[in-house]
Amino acid sequence: RKEVEQDPGPFNVPEGATVAFNCTYSNSASQSFFWYRQDCRKEPKLLMSVYSSGNEDGRFTAQLNRASQYISLLIRDSKLSDSATYLCVVNMRANGQNFVFGPGTRLSVLP
Amino acid sequence: DAGITQSPRHKVTETGTPVTLRCHQTENHRYMYWYRQDPGHGLRLIHYSYGVKDTDKGEVSDGYSVSRSKTEDFLLTLESATSSQTSVYFCAISGGLREGNEQFFGPGTRLTVL
């Protein structure tokens, strides 16, 4: 089993749609969780950290379920500019740095 | 954007030649990382540093070495490049657990080994 797994994608959705990405991780001791977006031929950029209580930033909502070792990202009212690959990232070391990246899920928002 | 630069941005080299990639930060972050990204594999950690002269191996460290003589610079060296090291290399920095722990990435270096 891979340490961090994501929906294989790609997701092709119309503008205005709501889309959800799922991510599971293998190490129950993991402490930090993030969503990044990566545009084609660019570096990953932090979209949002994921907190235990869940958090929202505009159209984006992230949730964490520690019991199920599951993270989600919800994008509402999707825009053409949301087209990118979304990476789930988990720091698997409680007292250090061991960031493990999921393979990513590609999203295409269509006009 | 975090102040991270990578050089060179593109490089073509031949098998067997040494190659050094440089990562420079102006954020005074403690941690620095080198990743490679290949189709079908996502981002994989090569080496990371948790302070000046303090480094550790990542998932795919074979064939690579690193050095960090100053807080702001982290060098990745391929002692004898092979075609399997053709990839996009990303440097990243983070402040650590107390500073929020998020990683910020440089623009990447595209390396082709012929």
Side-chain angles (χ1 to χ4, degrees):
Chain A
R1 179 186 174 189
K2 292 183 179 178
E3 291 183 289
V4 178
E5 298 191 70
Q6 295 185 239
D7 295 326
F11 287 10
N12 298 313
V13 303
E15 272 186 289
T18 295
V19 60
F21 299 111
N22 301 312
C23 171
T24 57
Y25 59 96
S26 61
N27 187 342
S28 60
S30 300
Q31 294 295 314
S32 307
F33 311 90
F34 310 90
W35 284 102
Y36 282 74
R37 70 169 280 166
Q38 185 174 23
D39 295 291
C40 188
R41 301 178 74 85
K42 298 286 189 179
E43 73 272 23
K45 292 191 175 181
L46 179 68
L47 182 63
M48 55 198 307
S49 303
V50 186
Y51 302 121
S52 296
S53 56
N55 46 303
E56 185 174 310
D57 183 2
R59 297 181 294 109
F60 299 85
T61 301
Q63 292 195 318
L64 168 64
N65 184 325
R66 285 189 184 271
S68 300
Q69 294 176 209
Y70 168 89
I71 306 157
S72 66
L73 175 68
L74 187 75
I75 305 176
R76 292 180 298 279
D77 187 24
S78 53
K79 313 290 185 190
L80 296 177
S81 58
D82 293 334
S83 296
T85 296
Y86 289 82
L87 305 172
C88 174
V89 183
V90 178
N91 184 2
M92 295 204 165
R93 191 170 294 171
N95 296 310
Q97 309 283 303
N98 181 19
F99 292 91
V100 179
F101 285 73
T105 303
R106 189 154 60 90
L107 171 67
S108 293
V109 181
L110 309 173
Chain B
D1 289 342
I4 314 169
T5 56
Q6 293 184 230
S7 58
R9 294 292 313 280
H10 302 269
K11 186 170 182 67
V12 180
T13 191
E14 293 187 348
T15 297
T17 59
V19 176
T20 295
L21 308 183
R22 180 181 183 238
C23 178
H24 179 78
Q25 62 148 329
T26 58
E27 305 295 320
N28 200 35
H29 276 19
R30 177 184 176 190
Y31 291 88
M32 297 185 76
Y33 312 79
W34 277 108
Y35 292 90
R36 61 177 290 173
Q37 188 172 34
D38 306 287
H41 288 280
L43 278 149
R44 292 182 291 174
L45 182 65
I46 304 171
H47 282 277
Y48 73 99
S49 168
Y50 46 97
V52 173
K53 298 186 179 179
D54 292 324
T55 65
D56 205 351
K57 295 180 180 181
E59 177 189 357
V60 290
S61 59
D62 288 348
Y64 301 94
S65 62
V66 290
S67 66
R68 191 168 179 200
S69 58
K70 299 185 289 186
T71 299
E72 56 267 34
D73 289 326
F74 193 32
L75 304 181
L76 177 70
T77 298
L78 291 65
E79 301 291 347
S80 178
T82 67
S83 58
S84 64
Q85 293 175 312
T86 292
S87 187
V88 180
Y89 292 85
F90 287 104
C91 174
I93 64 175
S94 72
L97 293 171
R98 290 183 183 178
E99 290 86 353
N101 214 23
E102 298 90 348
Q103 287 187 317
F104 300 96
F105 285 82
T109 295
R110 293 189 172 273
L111 176 67
T112 302
V113 183
L114 301 175

